[in-house]
Amino acid sequence: MRAFAAALVMSLALAGTAQAGLTERDLAGAVLAPPPGARVPLTLPVQDAAGRSLAFGAALGGRPALLIPVDYTCRTICGPALAIAADALAETGLRPGADYTLITVGFDPNDSPADARALVEARIPDPALAGATVILTGGAGAEALLEAVDYRAAYDAETDQFAHPAGVLALTPDGRVARALSSLALNPRDLRLALVEAGEGRVGGLTDRITLLCSGFDPVHGVYTPLIRRILTIAGALTVAALAAALVWLHRRVGPQPQGGG
């Protein structure tokens, strides 16, 4: 996921003079870089847009989730990125609220619950998806959540905006990070497979699981993961060995051919 973090640095949500008060070092620190085994504790207390305190496990609801960090008063990319995610989710064929949960989490502690609701309602018009969306506001709980997945934004006081990675996370039902994806390049197929993978066999069908197994699904680094490449290499070597053995067997069965006389 480190390579993905580097890619996200290149797609920081900045517009116009949004980087006026930020140094290169500030921008370099705005990354999404989940460490191996990154997990959001299910007992972590968070706050929703209705002002209620709940454990993060309750927000997941026992389902895999797409987690989207959001600046609810962002004037640049957060709104469009949320709309892209909503459109892609609608085309996955998965059922919101049954197969997955959508969770937005604010990283600006100054955003109000009304700000959060306004952005989400404007960008997620589908009632089914809206009903399966948990809106979490900023604060101590959100800060701890983002720290757990190593999502870091840089605040620009001059513009009152954030430079932040344009990324989303697929989480397992127990809060583990399964995949990190670019929120600007989401497509239904990759998103479906990410959620199927995060569902650990509880989401999707046999075809999805075969696709995951056959392709070694990795929307960040390409089609084949190193493990799958090794498997394919071994399979190729075994195929060559099997062909060689078959040729030897055929040669022994037929036996040497008689030499013609002159």
Side-chain angles (χ1 to χ4, degrees):
M1 289 189 183
R2 294 292 171 179
F4 178 70
L8 285 178
V9 171
M10 301 301 294
S11 60
L12 291 176
L14 298 170
T17 59
Q19 41 185 322
L22 297 176
T23 65
E24 289 186 12
R25 183 175 180 179
D26 293 330
L27 295 176
V31 296
L32 171 57
R39 185 189 302 268
V40 181
L42 297 184
T43 56
L44 179 68
V46 289
Q47 198 88 4
D48 69 12
R52 297 171 298 199
S53 181
L54 67 158
F56 185 70
L60 285 171
R63 294 178 289 273
L66 187 68
L67 176 70
I68 306 181
V70 179
D71 173 5
Y72 294 117
T73 54
C74 177
R75 297 193 296 270
T76 55
I77 212 167
C78 287
L82 188 56
I84 290 171
D87 289 343
L89 284 169
E91 296 181 28
T92 60
L94 299 176
R95 301 165 297 166
D99 294 327
Y100 67 89
T101 301
L102 175 61
I103 302 175
T104 64
V105 56
F107 52 81
D108 185 349
N110 295 319
D111 288 346
S112 69
D115 293 329
R117 291 193 300 269
L119 180 68
V120 173
E121 289 170 5
R123 298 296 181 167
I124 304 180
D126 176 52
L129 182 55
T133 300
V134 179
I135 307 172
L136 302 179
T137 54
E143 184 178 339
L145 189 162
L146 296 172
E147 184 178 347
V149 299
D150 203 4
Y151 183 98
R152 289 171 276 164
Y155 178 63
D156 183 357
E158 290 190 17
T159 60
D160 190 28
Q161 292 285 284
F162 287 84
H164 60 88
V168 301
L169 297 165
L171 302 182
T172 63
D174 63 355
R176 180 176 52 82
V177 174
R179 287 285 161 186
L181 305 164
S182 169
S183 58
L184 301 180
L186 288 177
N187 66 72
R189 178 183 180 275
D190 285 353
L191 191 50
R192 178 184 176 95
L193 290 177
L195 289 170
V196 167
E197 183 185 38
E200 299 175 327
R202 306 176 199 174
V203 175
L206 178 61
T207 301
D208 293 308
R209 289 188 277 281
I210 290 174
T211 301
L212 283 171
L213 182 62
C214 292
S215 69
F217 171 63
D218 190 339
V220 174
H221 299 107
V223 176
Y224 296 114
T225 64
L227 174 60
I228 295 301
R229 282 198 295 268
R230 286 196 295 272
I231 292 174
L232 291 175
T233 300
I234 293 170
L238 290 175
T239 300
V240 172
L243 288 173
L247 289 173
V248 171
W249 179 80
L250 285 172
H251 179 74
R252 290 178 176 175
R253 182 177 181 183
V254 173
Q257 297 298 314
Q259 300 293 323

